[in-house]
Amino acid sequence: KSSAGTLPPEVCIVELGGTLGDIESMPFVEALRQLQEHLGYKNMCFVHVSLVPVLGSPSEQKTKPTQHSVKTMMQLGLRPDLICCRGKEPLEPGTKRKLSLFTSVPENAIISIHDVSNIYRVPLMMMEQNVPSMLAQRLRIHPYVKRRDTTLKYAASDNVACVKDTALIKSWTKLADSVDEPESECR
């Protein structure tokens, strides 16, 4: 128990953004490596997010950027348990096989997170690829099986009503690519 009398969390999610290998991220990468040493391999799961671009004519999903970033990650002492691949289209089976072969990540742990018309479809896409069960198995916790009705309802339609509580969004309005008045985007 903490000093506030609450129980510690069962799961803590830490996002390390940026590019692996950049000097700016090195202290954070090392902190994660040391955290894994402290907590133990069984108590930590690394999910690597990488872009799989489509180039050429005929178009082909390129795996080299992901292979390179996983190699860099492993050189820094971190090994991904899952790889979430961003891209315009779903990953082709051959692309998943190739990534699995060259990253030593099981093929079922190569997750396709392709572009969709509605952000609420992304959690459903991850559920369809068994991500919650893989995370639960990896972290040795009981799987969370309850689905939120709102996510399912919003995912079914591209006409999602905007959320009016914008306090969190407004905290980011100083960024160059942010919307000054999020409510105006809801009209």
Side-chain angles (χ1 to χ4, degrees):
K1 282 189 167 185
S2 69
S3 59
T6 59
L7 295 173
E10 188 174 18
V11 174
C12 180
I13 298 173
V14 178
E15 177 189 3
L16 175 60
T19 303
L20 280 168
D22 280 356
I23 192 75
E24 295 88 1
S25 66
M26 294 308 288
F28 304 104
V29 171
E30 178 58 19
L32 284 175
R33 190 192 66 72
Q34 289 182 23
L35 182 62
Q36 183 177 31
E37 288 292 319
H38 176 72
L39 296 176
Y41 172 77
K42 294 179 180 181
N43 297 313
M44 209 151 166
C45 175
F46 288 105
V47 180
H48 181 59
V49 180
S50 181
L51 176 67
V52 176
V54 177
L55 301 172
S57 180
S59 59
E60 177 187 359
Q61 292 178 330
K62 298 295 184 179
T63 62
K64 206 53 102 174
T66 302
Q67 290 177 46
H68 182 72
S69 63
V70 170
K71 178 183 173 192
T72 302
M73 189 175 178
M74 293 173 90
Q75 288 173 336
L76 296 171
L78 306 176
R79 184 185 182 283
D81 298 291
L82 289 93
I83 301 175
C84 290
C85 298
R86 288 283 301 118
K88 290 198 175 293
E89 300 294 327
L91 283 181
E92 297 166 1
T95 302
K96 288 181 91 165
R97 274 193 302 277
K98 187 175 180 181
L99 282 171
S100 177
L101 178 66
F102 289 106
T103 62
S104 299
V105 173
E107 195 172 324
N108 69 327
I110 309 283
I111 311 301
S112 177
I113 308 289
H114 54 276
D115 291 351
V116 289
S117 60
N118 176 334
I119 192 71
Y120 291 101
R121 290 189 174 136
V122 174
L124 296 177
M125 187 185 330
M126 295 174 84
M127 284 183 213
E128 288 168 2
Q129 296 177 74
N130 224 13
V131 172
S133 336
M134 285 190 282
L135 289 173
Q137 181 181 2
R138 173 65 183 84
L139 296 171
R140 290 146 181 89
I141 58 175
H142 295 293
Y144 182 74
V145 294
K146 182 180 177 184
R147 291 187 183 181
R148 298 186 128 209
D149 292 336
T150 53
T151 302
L152 296 173
K153 179 176 75 175
Y154 290 153
S157 171
D158 286 331
N159 299 317
V160 178
C162 283
V163 176
K164 292 298 180 183
D165 183 6
T166 58
L168 180 64
I169 295 171
K170 287 187 177 199
S171 71
W172 293 92
T173 58
K174 299 293 184 246
L175 300 175
D177 62 347
S178 65
V179 176
D180 288 331
E181 293 297 325
E183 294 87 355
S184 67
E185 299 295 309
C186 297
R187 294 184 192 124

